[in-house]
Amino acid sequence: MTQDHEPLFDEDLRLLPWTSETGKPCHLAPGAEDGMVSALADGIENRHLAEAARVLRECEAIPADPAAGAAPPAREAAPGV
């Protein structure tokens, strides 16, 4: 597939960690790295990473916990799926 038009920016846009009111992705233009929107996005991304690290630590402890029980047997896919 070829591009029929020139890109709006020479650099890549930053995908922001939220969507628009209509559910579309939001982007930040290059050159706005020191602005308020960029700082807000940095803060949200840092909280996301911290929460993901916490969840991962909790998940890593589950296999060693005898109260967690044995893993359920793997299911086979139905024919044609």
Side-chain angles (χ1 to χ4, degrees):
M1 178 177 210
T2 60
Q3 195 170 6
D4 295 337
H5 59 281
E6 290 293 318
L8 294 175
F9 301 98
D10 292 333
E11 302 174 38
D12 291 332
L13 295 174
R14 177 181 179 181
L15 178 62
L16 296 171
W18 58 78
T19 58
S20 71
E21 294 174 356
T22 59
K24 294 183 179 182
C26 292
H27 297 88
L28 187 62
E33 294 85 7
D34 296 329
M36 289 177 49
V37 174
S38 183
L40 178 63
D42 289 344
I44 291 171
E45 289 169 346
N46 286 335
R47 286 192 297 277
H48 286 172
L49 290 170
E51 181 68 10
R54 183 192 64 78
V55 170
L56 182 58
R57 283 190 306 274
E58 291 177 5
C59 291
E60 288 172 338
I62 292 173
D65 184 357
R75 295 189 211 171
E76 292 184 26
V81 175

